[in-house]
Structure formats: structure tokens, C-alpha cells
Amino acid sequence: MTGAGWWLLVMLVAPGSDAGEARRAACMRRNEGAPVRYRGLVRALCADHRNLGGVGASVAVGEGGALRFVATAGERCAGGPPVTAETGFRVGSLTKLVTAALALTEVDAGRMELDAAIVTLLPELAAWDDRRAAAITLRELLTHSAGLADLHPWSAPGDEWIDVLGERPLWTSPGTLWSYSNAGYALVGAAIERSAGDDYAALAWARVLAPLGLRHATLDVTRALRGDVACGHLGRGAGVFTMDLAEDLEIGAGGATWTRPAGGMIASAGELVTLALGLGDPLVSPLSAGAIAALLRPELATQERPGEFAAPGLRARRLGDGSWLYMHSGNTGDFAAELVLVPARGFALALLGNTGDPLQATALVGVQELLGERVPLPLPAGPTSDYAGVYVAGDDAIAVELVGGSLTIAGRGLQGRLTHAGDHRFRAEGLRETLTFVFMGPGPASHLRGPEFVAGRVQAPRRK
């Protein structure tokens, strides 16, 4: 359920095969009636469907403030019926947009405050081992700046997950540094339930989804399974492993329903477009004008990519005309989702697949052809001395050293050479996610951020 930006995507090139070409041809036939404006998007979708060995996919476009086009490819479940425009997919972390909007309905009602400590609704935080947790605000949780460690769902499947989370020290002091946390959005969901006195999924339906006319989008797996819904898939080809949504919840999230506010929604691509456009449209949004402004307000730099900022439930960067482009992604391992939104232009693009591979080429083509925006290329690495040093996370020391002109890393289970992955991000051997060096001021990196830690720099580099 990590939230990666889309603009570093590159065209995927994969060798063709008879099976892959058959998938691409079937996708092209299914969408042969696409309007001229969207034919490039269809070609990219069908190429991704072939190259990635995908099972099923759906892409939707909103322009002029309304849903205009939906394209589909493949099957809902391997060997089963085809994906339709109504097929629901797990959208992972795109759920955070709904959670942020739902929290703002409580702010509108006067029962929650963006800058008040959330401990008033979740008194458990006052008993956490790290006393700084009592100062965490709703705004900090919504913008991933609360300093929270993350929590794997299978490590706390029951009702005591807040107490389990509280046994872990904060990565940073609240309000000081952006650091993505699914657990933070789970806390927002718990606070909403305490504030409103009702179940999170029921509140999301009644206050956000239903008012925007989303008849099938849901956070209730049982309800979703009664409709047109995709399965998740692990692996590819003959070895693909298929899971229905109930199995997905048990295997991927250990049955932990507390994860729903961070990544539990099931929706079609068209519904995602309608949701994203509707939340920012004062004529139809369930939010007040002030809440819409808060939802779309870039709050702080993520330090993940140049010019990227965090807004509640979204990432943002400014376009050349001064408007803001918002985006987010969701990935549960067996589903992948991407959302691109430009409210000032009434534009939204949603891309869903029922494997863990995002539709990268399709996203790139959609942004360039439909928005007319060039995708910023990743920047080269800075001097190696900017990154080398000793970083500390809790009791763990991580050494980044210069060895023969290359960077190496050792500590916290990481060992070996670092490979540059664009901007200030690097890949460590054996680690799927990237590591990000954070620069909070002039000079060398101040922090090293990984998928399971944020480490502060405490020592100058050593050369070997």
C-alpha cells in the first residue's frame, strides 16, 4: 500500500509471445470503438496488458469535470468472465482519499479539528511508550508527518493494534518530516469512529460514496463479492494464483479490518474518476468549501521527488500553468491502482489492474497525450559525499560508506552496494523498495528513509 508517484514511469519493453500478442489483440478488439482522442490510451493499455502478462485491467478518463471514457482488458479472475466498465478492483492506498474526505466531514460538523491533538479521541496515545505521540494532530496524520512507525497487519490482526503500535518509538517528532504511514490512516479511521459513533465503512458509504452517486464502491468485502468484482492475482501465466477478495483480506492483511481506512476500498475505474472529480467540485461535493480547500492544499514537501508535496490522501506537484496535479497509487501485491487528478482542468485518470504490476506505460501516455504535460525525468545523483555517513534509527546504526567511488550500505538487515534509482533514491541489494536520502537543509543528507525506518544522520562519511 505504498504511495509512489507516477511521473518516473518509463515505457515497458518486453519480448512478444504468441500468448501475449493474443492478449493485446483481444484488448484492441474489445476497445475498437474508442473515440479518436482515446485511441493512444487504448494502445498503451493493450501494450501493458501484453507486456506485463496481466489478467485484467480497467482505465477511466474524466474530462470537463465528468467521466468520459472507460477501457477494459482481460478477465475479472483468471479463466473467468471479462472485466467490464463496472468491475470493482481493490484500489489499495487510493482509499486514503476517502478517509481524508470522511475526516473532513467530521471537521465540518465541528467534532474534529485539524490542528487539535488526536489524543482527545484516542486516549490510548497518552499511554504510548513514546510520549511525543500525545501531541500528534489530525493534520499530521493526514499528511504523513506524524512521525509514526508503520505496522504490518499480520503483526497485530486483533483489536489491540493501537497498543501494539504504541510499543514502537516514533521515527521522528510529529510535524517535522513527511514519512508515509498506513498506520497513520488507520488511526484516522479509528478517530472518526470514536468521533461519529459509527463504523468506518458505514460512514464512508453514507457520507462520501453514496452522495457522489457511487452505487457499487464499498469497503465491505461481503457486499463487494455479491457484485461484479475482480480477483487478485499473484504470479503470471500458467502459475498464476487467484484470490477472491475474502482470501485477499486474509492472506494479504491477516484479516485485520483496522487496515480498511488505509487501503480497503473496492471500486471501478469509472467510480474512482467520479469520486476524485466530485470531491473537488463545490456543486456536488459532500464537503464544505473550506474542507475542499483543506483536502487539496499541498502541506509540505515529501522530500521524495523534486517539487512533490503532500496533501491529505494525495501527492501533488505544480504544473507550468500554476495549477496543481495530484496523484497517488495503491498496490496490495495482487492489485495495482493509479490516480491522476487536475481539479482546475476537470481532469482525472484512473488505472486499475488485478495483478501487482501498475499500468506504467498507460499512465505515461494518458498524462502526455490527454493533459499535454511532459513527464519530468528523474535527476542524476548528487555527489556521493552528500549521502555517505552514519544514520541511526532507534538502536540501529546504518553505515553508508564510499568504497572505491561507490556507495555501500550496512545495517538494519541491509548489506551491499547502493544503485541510484533517480533523484535522491537508491536501491539496496535484495530490497524491492527504494531508499530515500532526505535533505532538510543545505549540506549533506539529514535522514535516510526506508520502508521500515527513518534514520537520522549522526556522523560524517568515512572513505575507504
Side-chain angles (χ1 to χ4, degrees):
M1 286 189 272
T2 59
W6 56 265
W7 54 78
L8 298 175
L9 305 176
V10 295
M11 279 289 193
L12 299 175
V13 179
S17 68
D18 290 344
E21 184 53 34
R23 281 196 304 273
R24 190 198 69 81
C27 173
M28 292 296 293
R29 286 194 301 272
R30 184 186 299 185
N31 299 287
E32 62 185 357
V36 172
R37 176 165 174 75
Y38 304 118
R39 288 179 187 171
L41 187 72
V42 166
R43 286 192 294 272
L45 168 64
C46 296
D48 263 343
H49 187 55
R50 176 197 63 191
N51 295 343
L52 297 172
V55 177
S58 183
V59 174
V61 180
E63 296 189 279
L67 178 65
R68 302 297 181 188
F69 178 70
V70 178
T72 65
E75 302 161 343
R76 286 160 40 185
C77 304
V83 172
T84 73
E86 287 74 40
T87 298
F89 293 70
R90 272 200 69 185
V91 302
S93 287
L94 299 188
T95 308
K96 292 179 174 67
L97 178 59
V98 173
T99 302
L102 184 58
L104 289 169
T105 67
E106 282 296 287
V107 173
D108 274 343
R111 290 187 290 266
M112 294 178 74
E113 297 179 31
L114 280 169
D115 295 309
I118 206 76
V119 70
T120 57
L121 292 169
L122 299 174
E124 300 96 316
L125 273 64
W128 279 18
D129 292 350
D130 193 323
R131 297 304 182 187
R132 295 175 295 176
I136 291 172
T137 67
L138 176 61
R139 188 188 302 275
E140 291 163 348
L141 291 173
L142 292 176
T143 56
H144 298 288
S145 59
L148 284 173
D150 222 335
L151 185 66
H152 288 302
W154 48 87
S155 66
D159 294 335
E160 290 79 33
W161 66 272
I162 295 180
D163 296 328
V164 174
L165 182 62
E167 294 171 359
R168 306 183 178 197
L170 298 185
W171 283 341
T172 59
S173 295
T176 61
L177 183 68
W178 180 92
S179 188
Y180 198 85
S181 174
N182 289 306
Y185 266 74
L187 284 178
V188 173
I192 291 169
E193 289 186 331
R194 302 276 181 90
S195 178
D198 202 351
D199 173 71
Y200 166 82
L203 288 165
W205 168 255
R207 295 200 192 167
V208 179
L209 305 179
L212 291 173
L214 307 185
R215 296 181 299 139
H216 304 298
T218 183
L219 288 114
D220 183 332
V221 169
T222 302
R223 179 172 178 260
L225 286 169
R226 292 197 292 264
D228 178 353
V229 66
C231 299
H233 298 87
L234 300 173
R236 302 293 178 270
V240 71
F241 179 67
T242 302
M243 298 181 289
D244 68 23
L245 290 178
E247 294 167 327
D248 174 274
L249 178 63
E250 287 300 320
I251 295 172
T257 57
W258 59 265
T259 62
R260 291 179 302 176
M265 187 167 71
I266 301 104
S268 68
E271 287 176 314
L272 272 178
V273 164
T274 300
L275 169 71
L277 292 174
L279 284 174
D281 183 348
L283 297 179
V284 300
S285 179
L287 304 178
S288 69
I292 292 172
L295 184 69
L296 298 177
R297 181 178 298 125
E299 295 277 357
L300 76 164
T302 67
Q303 303 285 344
E304 194 81 0
R305 296 173 183 86
E308 182 182 82
F309 291 81
L314 296 165
R315 300 179 189 227
R317 71 174 178 90
R318 195 178 288 278
L319 297 177
D321 64 0
S323 61
W324 286 95
L325 181 148
Y326 301 87
M327 63 281 170
H328 205 50
S329 63
N331 197 309
T332 62
D334 57 340
F335 286 94
E338 299 281 339
L339 175 67
V340 179
L341 171 67
V342 185
R345 301 191 198 177
F347 177 88
L349 173 67
L351 310 99
L352 305 179
N354 57 0
T355 66
D357 294 316
L359 302 172
Q360 297 182 335
T362 314
L364 179 65
V365 169
V367 168
Q368 290 189 338
E369 290 196 0
L370 302 180
L371 267 180
E373 293 290 335
R374 295 188 63 84
V375 176
L377 296 175
L379 297 176
T384 52
S385 58
D386 282 354
Y387 309 115
V390 177
Y391 301 81
V392 172
D395 296 327
D396 298 326
I398 304 168
V400 178
E401 297 182 320
L402 299 166
V403 179
S406 298
L407 289 170
T408 64
I409 189 167
R412 204 177 172 94
L414 301 171
Q415 186 75 40
R417 188 173 175 226
L418 291 176
T419 303
H420 185 236
D423 303 318
H424 297 304
R425 290 171 294 111
F426 290 78
R427 290 195 182 279
E429 296 175 18
L431 184 68
R432 183 170 66 93
E433 299 91 345
T434 56
L435 302 171
T436 302
F437 289 89
V438 177
F439 294 78
M440 295 299 290
S446 58
H447 296 80
L448 174 62
R449 184 165 55 217
E452 302 291 339
F453 65 88
V454 175
R457 188 174 184 276
V458 297
Q459 186 175 314
R462 294 186 296 165
R463 294 180 181 271
K464 289 189 175 181

